Amino acid sequence: MIRFLDIANHTLFWYYLASNLAYLTMLIVALKTSADHQRRLQSNRLKWIKETPMAPPVTVIAPAHNEESSIRVAVRNLLELDYPELEVVVVNDGSEDRTLEEMREEFLLRPVRAVYVPEAKSAPVRGLYRSGVDARLVVVDKEPGGSKADAVNAGLNAATSPYVCVVDADSILERDALLRIMVPVLADPKRVVAVGGIIRVLNGSEIAGGHLRRVRLPRKSIEAIQVVEYLRAFLIGREAWGQGNMLMIISGAFGVFRTDLVRAVGGYRPRAIGEDFDLVARLHRHLRDKGADYHIHFVPDPMCWTEVPSDLKSLGRQRARWQKGLLDVLWPNRDMLFRWRYGRIGSLALPYLWLFELLAPVVEIGGIATIVLAACFGVLSRVFFMQFLIFGYAFATVISIGSVLQEEITYKRYNDWQDVARLVSYCFLEHFPYRQLHMIWRLQGLWQYLRGDMAWRPLERKGLSEQVQTE
């Protein structure tokens, strides 16, 4: 028993060390990539992109289900995006409230007879509408499909542009976000097939008329600690993976894709739990199988602001669902592991996701249990425990602080020094006790998936209309 505990504890130590060294490497890559990106932006005049006829048309697809309280504001914001050729397709996914009626009244929707070819599978479409106020707005009214993927597929079938931008109807895009996210496409249109933008936490910020007026750190600790999570995940993780063309997820809240490629892989998988991760994985597989020269990019500064869960119950449901979505993608694509055809995706990106994302809750919760048992048996090594604290806690905390400092040095969205100080302080709480709660939720997600529980559990959200408003 003592021998087993000793092996288990040292395995946990090396696991934490490898995980943190991987993140340290990503932090270094992300810092360099961010600096290069800032230099490129200085040579790309967004005003020129806005006015040039060379910019390819983009269709923004926004699924909406029971969004009556904020749909008017959300659609107006999308129509106000700076971009030369823009189409907005809002998909009313079987809403049971007044979502469709609110749009009909605000935008004078009129039924249209148009060719609708269901290339991507979705629930039946009841009708198509075009705005009498702004002809760029098209509304697809469909039967409920039970998933966001189903709704996006209906929007994809109605899109007429060579690029589609998928957004959440309850998120806020900065006015120039679409211009910025299209910069990599304009720089290399032959190779860049998809681009992900950064997602930031909206909670606590001041908005008016659905527009972000002032960025503030959330007052609630459970929301503020998610700011640190998002900064580390996007500014370090996704930026580094994107630099190596190994980005495996583009957030469903804000991402651009080449329309023909999304249709070529059959659109979104309607029953996918993590539809955003699933689509990118299938795009990698499709393009690698064809031997294509391509790049899936990440851009850290086109901002999309979204509301995060503000209570433990909703947050736990969200993280459990994310973990189910991870397994739902990794298991069907296990044949890509360590196969030369899939290059760095099969040899680096997918093994990392298996080892340090999917199995992390099992390894870490099991490791903590063996540490407790070793302490109970009186065989816990003091040297080992100090190493565990240094590499399992202190090292990880430094990396989180690095993501916060990178945000402040590069983008400076939190201008109040008190907000910055609070962010840094939450870096010390993220890895204890928040991380342990997070691991329990992820274990629940794995268990739910393994026993066939695929139910979509809704989250409690305030909505755009109930966020902090300016006077």
Side-chain angles (χ1 to χ4, degrees):
M1 181 65 174
I2 293 175
R3 178 61 177 165
F4 166 77
L5 292 175
D6 183 62
I7 294 174
N9 288 343
H10 281 85
T11 299
L12 179 65
F13 165 76
W14 288 109
Y15 181 85
Y16 266 120
L17 179 61
S19 175
N20 288 327
L21 286 176
Y23 249 104
L24 179 61
T25 302
M26 285 188 273
L27 175 60
I28 295 170
V29 172
L31 287 171
K32 182 181 183 303
T33 303
S34 182
D36 292 341
H37 177 71
Q38 292 301 310
R39 285 194 293 270
R40 284 195 301 270
L41 272 184
Q42 292 175 4
S43 63
N44 284 288
R45 297 181 179 179
L46 296 183
K47 185 178 180 182
W48 177 85
I49 299 174
K50 179 181 176 181
E51 296 174 353
T52 179
M54 297 175 63
V58 174
T59 296
V60 176
I61 300 175
H65 178 73
N66 294 342
E67 303 282 355
E68 65 175 357
S69 64
S70 59
I71 193 65
R72 294 185 187 223
V73 171
V75 175
R76 280 201 304 269
N77 288 351
L78 294 177
L79 291 170
E80 291 171 1
L81 289 172
D82 284 337
Y83 198 76
E85 289 196 56
L86 178 67
E87 176 184 53
V88 176
V89 175
V90 179
V91 182
N92 179 44
D93 188 29
S95 297
E96 299 168 349
D97 60 2
R98 285 180 46 81
T99 297
L100 183 60
E101 286 71 20
E102 291 289 330
M103 287 191 288
R104 182 180 285 119
E105 294 171 5
E106 180 73 12
F107 302 103
L108 303 180
L109 299 183
R110 300 170 182 171
V112 294
R113 292 187 176 183
V115 177
Y116 178 86
V117 181
E119 293 184 63
K121 293 182 180 179
S122 74
V125 170
R126 297 184 288 215
L128 297 174
Y129 302 86
R130 188 176 295 276
S131 169
V133 177
D134 191 328
R136 298 176 301 166
L137 174 62
V138 174
V139 174
V140 179
D141 183 33
K142 61 181 285 293
E143 299 288 343
S147 69
K148 178 184 174 181
D150 187 274
V152 174
N153 280 348
L156 180 68
N157 293 331
T160 61
S161 304
Y163 291 89
V164 291
C165 177
V166 181
V167 303
D168 282 342
D170 58 355
S171 298
I172 293 178
L173 293 183
E174 294 186 356
R175 190 158 185 164
D176 63 354
L178 197 53
L179 289 172
R180 290 176 177 272
I181 202 171
M182 288 297 289
V183 167
V185 175
L186 292 169
D188 192 0
K190 291 185 178 180
R191 293 185 67 245
V192 177
V193 300
V195 187
I198 190 170
I199 310 298
R200 301 292 289 268
V201 174
L202 178 64
N203 306 50
S205 295
E206 297 174 359
I207 63 174
H211 293 282
L212 188 67
R213 297 304 183 198
R214 186 184 181 191
V215 177
R216 295 297 305 270
L217 192 66
R219 296 184 180 90
K220 295 182 67 173
S221 296
I222 192 174
E223 297 170 347
I225 206 165
Q226 291 176 75
V227 175
V228 178
E229 269 192 301
Y230 275 60
L231 290 177
R232 191 183 65 251
F234 283 92
L235 291 182
I236 296 180
R238 296 194 189 179
E239 188 157 2
W241 288 114
Q243 177 67 13
N245 197 21
M246 293 181 284
L247 186 64
M248 293 301 298
I249 182 170
I250 290 177
S251 175
F254 186 36
V256 166
F257 303 88
R258 235 176 62 187
T259 309
D260 63 325
L261 283 178
V262 179
R263 287 173 175 164
V265 299
Y268 286 76
R269 182 160 59 93
R271 294 304 170 190
I273 302 171
E275 74 286 336
D276 42 10
F277 180 24
D278 180 78
L279 175 65
V280 176
R282 288 189 294 117
L283 284 174
H284 275 298
R285 176 188 284 273
H286 174 75
L287 292 165
R288 289 277 178 177
D289 283 343
K290 293 181 65 175
D293 181 20
Y294 72 98
H295 193 95
I296 294 180
H297 219 287
F298 174 77
V299 181
D301 64 340
M303 301 293 181
C304 172
W305 298 83
T306 191
E307 182 185 353
V308 298
S310 57
D311 62 274
L312 285 174
K313 183 177 181 181
S314 293
L315 181 58
R317 285 179 174 178
Q318 183 191 64
R319 299 314 163 89
R321 186 176 73 239
W322 287 0
Q323 193 71 7
K324 285 193 288 186
L326 179 63
L327 180 54
D328 190 49
V329 174
L330 290 182
W331 183 250
N333 290 291
R334 62 191 182 278
D335 62 317
M336 294 175 67
L337 284 168
F338 305 113
R339 292 184 63 184
W340 65 267
R341 176 189 296 179
Y342 301 109
R344 286 173 287 184
I345 301 299
S347 60
L348 289 176
L350 289 176
Y352 177 88
L353 290 172
W354 274 95
L355 185 59
F356 295 115
E357 295 292 343
L358 184 69
L359 297 178
V362 177
V363 174
E364 295 190 25
I365 295 297
I368 291 172
T370 61
I371 289 176
V372 172
L373 284 174
C376 292
F377 282 104
V379 294
L380 180 62
S381 167
R382 184 175 299 179
V383 173
F384 163 77
F385 191 66
M386 291 303 298
Q387 291 174 335
F388 175 78
L389 289 178
I390 292 172
F391 292 104
Y393 174 76
F395 200 175
T397 300
V398 168
I399 292 173
S400 293
I401 293 174
S403 67
V404 172
L405 294 180
Q406 182 186 2
E407 200 287 332
E408 284 309 301
I409 293 171
T410 310
Y411 305 105
K412 301 178 181 178
R413 302 315 295 262
Y414 295 101
N415 295 317
D416 190 325
W417 70 268
Q418 292 179 324
D419 284 348
V420 178
R422 284 185 63 213
L423 263 184
V424 173
S425 70
Y426 281 115
C427 292
F428 292 91
L429 298 176
E430 186 195 7
H431 298 281
F432 183 84
Y434 178 73
R435 184 183 180 100
Q436 287 68 44
L437 271 177
H438 194 264
M439 291 299 158
I440 292 172
W441 294 328
R442 291 167 68 181
L443 273 179
Q444 290 174 344
L446 291 176
W447 174 244
Q448 289 168 6
Y449 185 89
L450 292 175
R451 64 188 179 91
D453 180 1
M454 305 301 178
W456 182 275
R457 296 172 174 82
L459 309 180
E460 293 293 330
R461 293 183 181 271
K462 297 177 183 178
L464 298 184
S465 61
E466 297 184 36
Q467 291 289 342
V468 179
Q469 302 284 324
T470 55
E471 297 296 332

